Amino acid sequence: MSRKLKDNLLNGLIWLSAAFSVGILITIVAFIFSNGWSKMSWDFLTNDYESQTQYVNVTSHQSYTAPSSLSSDALFSENLGIAIEPNEHGYEVAWIDDQSPVKTAKNNADEAFPVKVGYQLEQINGEGANLKIKADTDADDIINALNASDTLMIKVVSPGGGIFPMIVSTLMLILVALLFSAPVGILAAIYMVEYAKPGKLVNLIRFATEVLSGIPSVVYGLFGMLIFANTLKLGMSILSGGFTLMILLLPTMMRTTEEALKAVPMSYREASYGLGANKIQTLSKVVLPSAIPGILVGVILSIGRTIGESAALLFTIGTFAKLPVNPTSGHLSLFETGTSLTVRAYVEVKESGNVEMAAAIGIVILVIVFTLNLISRLISKKFSKANY
């Protein structure tokens, strides 16, 4: 076989492999978008997963002024500071004043349940007012009922069919995981590269890191459930899931940071020492700034794995498609349960075979990962060695 034929064969295999890899990627992305794009909307991103019907108690202590931006179909309640508009089912909340008491409303279980734009009004109870709202209910009767008393109990229905709780839970998991794994992983890598002397200890740490990176994530999930959820009494919560992901991400963070530090030329360090800088000054002013692009790669890889992780979270955070909100205060809490985007996609396919919903969640995941990679590239470019 001639040399030219060998070169052509090798080039053909290279191009064929590249085309196959790109083709697989395009096929997967096309499948996700073709199945999930029909569900994409602003409501899909901002609504709760399940519609909720609640009786909320509201007490008003002042009068409110209608904004000039309301549409001609909107009706305004001076007592509550809200505007309502008709829809096919009846009337929904179209605008809420920043100081409106409905934002601090509580249900009959004394749990915070703030009324939001888009909620459907179904019934109003108060002193001298008891109105069930239907599509043909007169608008003036609704406003009169809302303004009839300072203390009202209103039946509201929140819209469902969205993934907003899963987006919030996923972002909280990323925050918790990186808050602990990034400093520990980066500092451990600095020790391994800059301070530790080659020997059995360093080899043992590197071996342990490689073993940890190869452990199936389901094992991390079992560990997190036994240690964080049960032993430390954190229960199925964002904090348990975040701590589990922290351990899972440590090997990736350490190895990528270590390689980034090794890529900084030794001449940089020598020049810094020659100018009179000490070890800490050399690290902070020369080595770390030069290694920032590589370190950011590790952070982005960690975020990507956090978003795509499901097995470890099934045991530690659960599958409840709700906002991790403290029922008493109404604020987001790390000690409440929830679920991530990937876990929800898995549950949708497994329990109901809802491929459309799972594909729509996949689109959101792809957009988040793409955005994070774009941000990392911009930051890497800004802090690259060429700018020093």
Side-chain angles (χ1 to χ4, degrees), residues 137-171:
T137 302
D138 187 74
D140 290 334
D141 292 339
I142 299 175
I143 294 300
N144 290 334
L146 290 174
N147 294 332
S149 174
D150 292 339
T151 302
L152 296 171
M153 184 172 68
I154 307 173
K155 182 182 179 182
V156 296
V157 179
S158 65
I163 61 170
F164 182 70
M166 287 77 86
I167 293 176
V168 173
S169 297
T170 301
L171 294 177

Side-chain angles (χ1 to χ4, degrees), residues 281-292:
Q281 291 172 330
T282 300
L283 276 173
S284 61
K285 301 295 184 180
V286 178
V287 178
L288 286 179
S290 299
I292 278 180

Side-chain angles (χ1 to χ4, degrees), residues 162-380:
I163 61 170
F164 182 70
M166 287 77 86
I167 293 176
V168 173
S169 297
T170 301
L171 294 177
M172 292 175 69
L173 283 170
I174 292 172
L175 180 63
V176 173
L178 289 183
L179 189 63
F180 292 96
S181 64
V184 174
I186 292 173
L187 290 175
I190 290 174
Y191 169 77
M192 295 282 290
V193 175
E194 302 294 335
Y195 290 95
K197 296 180 180 180
K200 293 183 178 180
L201 178 61
V202 173
N203 292 335
L204 179 63
I205 295 175
R206 288 201 174 110
F207 175 75
T209 302
E210 292 172 359
V211 171
L212 284 174
S213 63
I215 294 177
S217 57
V218 67
V219 177
Y220 285 101
L222 291 171
F223 175 83
M225 180 183 67
L226 294 174
I227 301 300
F228 300 124
N230 296 338
T231 304
L232 298 182
K233 307 299 182 183
L234 295 177
M236 302 283 277
S237 64
I238 296 292
L239 209 54
S240 294
F243 283 160
T244 304
L245 291 176
M246 173 197 70
I247 300 174
L248 187 147
L249 297 179
L250 271 178
T252 302
M253 194 70 69
M254 287 179 60
R255 292 299 294 173
T256 53
T257 303
E258 191 175 348
E259 294 303 320
L261 293 172
K262 287 180 178 179
V264 179
M266 187 59 65
S267 58
Y268 284 28
R269 298 174 176 83
E270 293 171 351
S272 178
Y273 294 142
L275 292 173
N278 57 29
K279 188 75 171 179
I280 296 297
Q281 291 172 330
T282 300
L283 276 173
S284 61
K285 301 295 184 180
V286 178
V287 178
L288 286 179
S290 299
I292 278 180
I295 295 174
L296 283 175
V297 169
V299 173
I300 296 301
L301 288 174
S302 300
I303 293 175
R305 184 164 185 184
T306 300
I307 295 174
E309 190 54 56
S310 58
L313 297 176
L314 284 170
F315 297 97
T316 54
I317 186 176
T319 59
F320 296 99
K322 71 177 192 66
L323 278 173
V325 172
N326 185 299
T328 303
S329 65
H331 298 146
L332 294 175
S333 173
L334 296 176
F335 297 94
E336 296 296 324
T337 186
T339 193
S340 68
L341 288 167
T342 311
V343 172
R344 192 65 229 175
Y346 164 77
V347 172
E348 287 293 331
V349 175
K350 179 178 180 295
E351 293 187 353
S352 59
N354 193 347
V355 177
E356 185 182 6
M357 182 69 168
I361 294 175
I363 293 175
V364 176
I365 293 174
L366 286 175
V367 171
I368 293 175
V369 172
F370 174 79
T371 303
L372 290 172
N373 276 277
L374 183 61
I375 293 173
S376 71
R377 285 178 177 272
L378 293 175
I379 296 176
S380 298

Side-chain angles (χ1 to χ4, degrees), residues 18-75:
F20 178 77
S21 301
V22 174
I24 291 294
L25 177 61
I26 293 175
T27 301
I28 293 173
V29 173
F31 173 82
I32 293 174
F33 273 83
S34 63
N35 283 277
W37 185 253
S38 60
K39 290 188 70 68
M40 297 303 298
S41 67
W42 182 249
D43 290 338
F44 178 73
L45 298 176
T46 57
N47 285 352
D48 288 336
Y49 178 74
E50 294 181 342
S51 176
Q52 297 186 60
T53 301
Q54 294 278 354
Y55 286 90
V56 297
N57 299 297
V58 181
T59 301
S60 177
H61 300 288
Q62 67 179 83
S63 296
Y64 299 88
T65 303
S68 58
S69 59
L70 291 180
S71 66
S72 57
D73 295 332
L75 301 167

